Amino acid sequence: MDLLLTYDVDTTTPEGRRRLRKVAKLCEGHGLRVQKSVFEIAATDVDLLHLLNDIGRTIDENTDSIRIYRLPHNGFNDVRTLGIARVQSHREDLIL
């Protein structure tokens, strides 16, 4: 499945800055960073469950926000970009 994951982690404390780094590392392990806090992820159901579990254990639910959008099948094939953004392939990253 194609997913778009965005996050907003409160970085006003040292603990928040650590959480931000942990969330970013988790996302880097599952997808492509397309903006500072936006990742495009091609995942299986199992991959998504692992990611949700890991992020859920990392964030502070009172101050942090994670949004995951499920895109239509082959949603990454219809991406339009402006500026310095480059379209990257996700399919070689997905291992079934």
Side-chain angles (χ1 to χ4, degrees), residues 38-55:
V38 180
F39 282 79
E40 293 176 350
I41 299 172
T44 64
D45 290 334
V46 172
D47 292 334
L48 177 58
L49 289 175
H50 285 290
L51 179 60
L52 291 173
N53 181 58
D54 292 343
I55 289 177

Side-chain angles (χ1 to χ4, degrees), residues 11-38:
T11 58
T12 58
T13 65
E15 295 82 15
R17 290 186 287 278
R18 281 192 286 278
R19 287 194 315 275
L20 175 69
R21 287 189 296 276
K22 286 181 182 180
V23 169
K25 286 286 188 190
L26 287 169
C27 292
E28 286 171 351
H30 289 272
L32 297 172
R33 182 189 297 260
V34 294
Q35 292 185 345
K36 291 187 185 211
S37 59
V38 180

Side-chain angles (χ1 to χ4, degrees), residues 48-68:
L48 177 58
L49 289 175
H50 285 290
L51 179 60
L52 291 173
N53 181 58
D54 292 343
I55 289 177
R57 292 182 307 149
T58 301
I59 66 168
D60 180 336
E61 293 186 356
N62 296 311
T63 60
D64 304 335
S65 173
I66 308 295
R67 295 182 68 93
I68 300 173

Side-chain angles (χ1 to χ4, degrees), residues 69-86:
Y69 301 88
R70 189 171 188 162
L71 303 176
H73 182 67
N74 292 322
F76 294 135
N77 293 338
D78 193 25
V79 175
R80 288 171 177 65
T81 62
L82 300 171
I84 63 172
R86 291 184 305 262

